[in-house]
Amino acid sequence: MTAVAEIMDYDEVLARFDPVLGLEVHVELSTKTKMFCGCANAFGAEPNTQVCPVCLGLPGALPAVNGKAVEAAIRIGLALNCQVAEWCRFARKNYFYPDMPKNFQTSQYDEPIVFDGHLDVVLDDGETFRVDIERAHMEEDTGKSLHMGGATGRIHGADYSLLDYNRAGVPLIEIVTKPITGAGERAPEVARAYVAALRDLLRALNVSDVRMDQGSLRCDANVSLMPKGTTEFGTRTETKNVNSLRSVERAVRYEMQRHAAVLTSGGSILQETRHFDESSGSTSAGRPKETSEDYRYFPEPDLVPIAPSREWVDELSKTLPELPWERRKRAQEEWGLSDEELRDLVNAGALELIAETVEAGAAPGDARSWWVAYLSQQANTRGVELADLAITPKQVARVAALVGEGKLTNKLARQVVDGVLDGEGEPDEVVAARGLEVVSDDSALQKAIDEALAAQPDIAEKIRGGKVQAAGAVVGSVMKATKGQADAKRVRELVLKACGQ
């Protein structure tokens, strides 16, 4: 567990300092192939099975740009109100990591594909805060180091490390904000709301699955403090690869409190990367943070510049879907939601999921019930954000359809959802594998009813005498005998018929 440093009371931090944030969000694109080669871009394959000479950085291998990744970058930029460069190129970012086979990352530096945009985010009380975007640029992901034998999963204390290069070369878009000032006490909330809004936007664009739990959306949170009355930014720290919305908020808040404690005690902040510890809510030192000069950027000699035509950009602008804030307005009108109800659904991260579930064929009431009730409980139990649950709106809509068709009861449907969440497959596959479909054969039901009536002759006599409410006991016995797989309404009808009612 990370040792928690001395921190200052949050109210005192705000009385003494003004926070400055900078958020860098890395998005793995869901293209079929990698950024500069033809290797498959898919999560979860056996280690080192999706590699080739290009993404392994072997001598003589030459890259080629993924056109779909360029298209996605432009669409992201347009949705973020950015300008699209008429001409841009790749650069080599030089540094050594064991999981980066070329010893440089092919990225963009001072010539990004899109730049100078903004995203308006809605805070918990409905207030809108504008976050200005510096740029969004294209690059490739690194491989993945697995540190084995230690208690924390980090290199310190590990017995040995393994390297998986499947992720090396996966297309990334890095979205970088301009310095975020003026947020004050709401800075942690602004950080969370921004990443949440960005995730919703990227999901709507269908350019990434934005699974924070799988690393396809990662946030680096930069924090510095300015003493009240000053305008010069303080030294920043960068908390790397924060992988949930809640953690983004907690990491920013903790770093504000830690910085303040260091500064008021006469110390100075070291410009460094930090790691966030989920269990303690604290950060720990990583490595000294390089400046851009340390990376020795220079233009990538093996790739030609990219010059998107205005005609192409105009065509891509027409492909933008209904954006999340537009969909929210429409949903509020169509579903008759009050401002407070809408805000609650947004804050719970449920509105976009409900809307997508409705689009997949579910009734609005059913979609809302699943996401706000049972799935929210599952998210809390599993310690993940609602959108990070391993179930899609399309799968939820299918479960709702099976209930509507009478093939599942609500109780059985929850078991099906559990199976999907546990990785057992699609809803229909879970139903088949677990044998969960409702027993709809009247002859099978009648046999269970006859046995229940024979076992409870006094109850049967009461029903025959007109006390139909006593049928509940028999229905309960039948439901138990069929392991909850009978249609209770149909069972009741058959019980009353068997007793002459």
Side-chain angles (χ1 to χ4, degrees):
M1 182 178 292
T2 303
V4 180
E6 181 182 352
I7 61 175
M8 180 180 287
D9 178 78
Y10 193 66
D11 289 337
E12 188 176 352
V13 174
L14 299 170
R16 291 170 174 260
F17 300 96
D18 290 318
V20 180
L21 306 181
L23 301 172
E24 303 169 12
V25 175
H26 295 79
V27 186
E28 285 187 352
L29 299 179
S30 53
T31 52
K32 291 183 178 179
T33 57
K34 293 185 180 180
M35 188 73 209
F36 301 115
C37 67
C39 289
N41 173 23
F43 180 82
E46 287 296 312
N48 299 309
T49 58
Q50 297 176 170
V51 293
C52 73
V54 174
C55 56
L56 287 177
L58 299 184
L62 293 175
V65 175
N66 186 326
K68 287 295 184 180
V70 176
E71 180 180 300
I74 294 173
R75 293 177 73 239
I76 290 170
L78 292 170
L80 290 172
N81 306 290
C82 290
Q83 297 183 51
V84 179
E86 296 183 1
W87 187 95
C88 66
R89 58 183 170 178
F90 286 96
R92 291 188 178 184
K93 182 180 182 181
N94 296 275
Y95 61 103
F96 172 77
Y97 273 168
D99 57 14
M100 194 168 65
K102 296 184 296 187
N103 292 338
F104 65 85
Q105 180 186 33
T106 305
S107 181
Q108 291 187 303
Y109 174 45
D110 54 349
E111 299 165 314
I113 189 165
V114 297
F115 57 93
D116 195 19
H118 66 268
L119 180 62
D120 292 328
V121 301
V122 180
L123 304 183
D124 291 348
D125 62 357
E127 179 183 338
T128 299
F129 190 98
R130 173 161 292 187
V131 176
D132 291 319
I133 307 294
E134 176 73 33
R135 68 184 186 274
H137 63 262
M138 299 179 289
E139 60 186 24
E140 60 182 335
D141 212 341
T142 61
K144 186 175 183 179
S145 298
L146 303 171
H147 306 297
M148 314 303 290
T152 65
R154 300 195 183 281
I155 192 169
H156 300 292
D159 295 330
Y160 60 94
S161 297
L162 299 174
L163 295 172
D164 179 7
Y165 289 116
N166 281 348
R167 198 176 67 182
V170 165
L172 279 182
I173 303 297
E174 181 176 354
I175 303 167
V176 183
T177 69
K178 294 180 180 179
I180 302 170
T181 60
E185 66 177 343
R186 307 190 75 172
E189 180 189 349
V190 167
R192 170 178 54 79
Y194 166 74
V195 178
L198 193 56
R199 185 176 67 174
D200 289 345
L201 175 61
L202 295 165
R203 185 185 291 113
L205 291 171
N206 196 30
V207 295
S208 172
D209 64 12
V210 291
R211 289 284 299 274
M212 297 188 79
D213 61 316
Q214 294 182 356
S216 54
L217 181 70
R218 313 190 290 269
C219 178
D220 297 342
N222 293 269
V223 176
S224 66
L225 295 180
M226 296 186 298
K228 288 285 187 180
T230 65
T231 56
E232 184 177 351
F233 292 169
T235 302
R236 65 185 174 90
T237 56
E238 181 181 11
T239 305
K240 299 286 289 184
N241 296 328
V242 187
N243 62 2
S244 76
L245 299 180
R246 179 170 176 263
S247 295
V248 169
E249 183 171 14
R250 294 171 73 201
V252 168
R253 185 183 181 99
Y254 178 85
E255 278 298 280
M256 287 173 60
Q257 293 178 278
R258 189 185 66 84
H259 280 217
V262 171
L263 293 171
T264 55
S265 65
S268 59
I269 300 299
L270 176 65
Q271 183 168 308
E272 63 183 356
T273 62
R274 310 271 305 173
H275 300 296
F276 181 70
D277 187 293
E278 297 278 354
S279 61
S280 65
S282 63
T283 66
S284 60
R287 56 179 170 78
K289 178 61 180 174
E290 297 90 344
T291 63
S292 58
E293 288 81 6
D294 295 319
Y295 290 120
R296 305 188 321 281
Y297 282 99
F298 65 86
E300 168 57 72
D302 292 334
L303 292 170
V304 298
I306 295 172
S309 69
R310 294 302 95 182
E311 292 77 16
W312 187 34
V313 172
D314 288 342
E315 288 175 9
L316 290 177
S317 69
K318 296 173 184 176
T319 70
L320 297 183
E322 182 182 34
L323 298 178
W325 39 92
E326 297 167 345
R327 175 153 42 186
R328 287 169 188 167
K329 183 177 180 181
R330 178 173 60 82
Q332 182 176 18
E333 294 173 353
E334 291 181 355
W335 302 347
L337 300 174
S338 67
D339 289 344
E340 184 177 1
E341 288 174 325
L342 177 68
R343 188 162 62 245
D344 287 345
L345 291 178
V346 171
N347 292 342
L351 186 68
E352 298 301 322
L353 296 167
I354 294 169
E356 291 176 28
T357 305
V358 172
E359 289 173 1
D366 291 340
R368 185 175 175 184
S369 175
W370 273 111
W371 287 107
V372 173
Y374 190 69
L375 287 167
S376 289
Q377 293 172 7
Q378 290 299 305
N380 289 334
T381 300
R382 295 165 187 256
V384 299
E385 302 291 341
L386 189 60
D388 290 333
L389 283 172
I391 190 168
T392 66
K394 184 177 180 181
Q395 290 169 329
V396 174
R398 178 56 184 158
V399 173
L402 290 170
V403 174
E405 294 167 5
K407 295 180 179 179
L408 291 176
T409 64
N410 287 328
K411 183 177 180 180
L412 293 173
R414 287 192 287 273
Q415 294 182 50
V416 174
V417 168
D418 290 342
V420 175
L421 292 173
D422 291 337
E424 297 174 19
E426 294 296 315
D428 290 279
E429 294 172 337
V430 176
V431 170
R434 293 195 178 192
L436 295 176
E437 189 166 342
V438 165
V439 177
S440 55
D441 180 359
D442 280 0
S443 61
L445 292 178
Q446 192 62 58
K447 179 181 178 182
I449 290 168
D450 291 343
E451 291 174 354
L453 289 172
Q456 304 174 80
D458 53 335
I459 299 295
E461 195 59 36
K462 288 180 180 179
I463 300 172
R464 294 188 184 99
K467 295 182 178 180
V468 295
Q469 63 270 25
V474 180
V475 172
S477 298
V478 174
M479 296 302 292
K480 183 177 181 180
T482 59
K483 299 180 180 179
Q485 291 178 237
D487 181 343
K489 183 178 179 181
R490 181 57 180 161
V491 171
R492 180 179 175 81
E493 291 173 355
L494 292 174
V495 168
L496 293 179
K497 181 179 179 182
C499 294
Q501 297 298 320

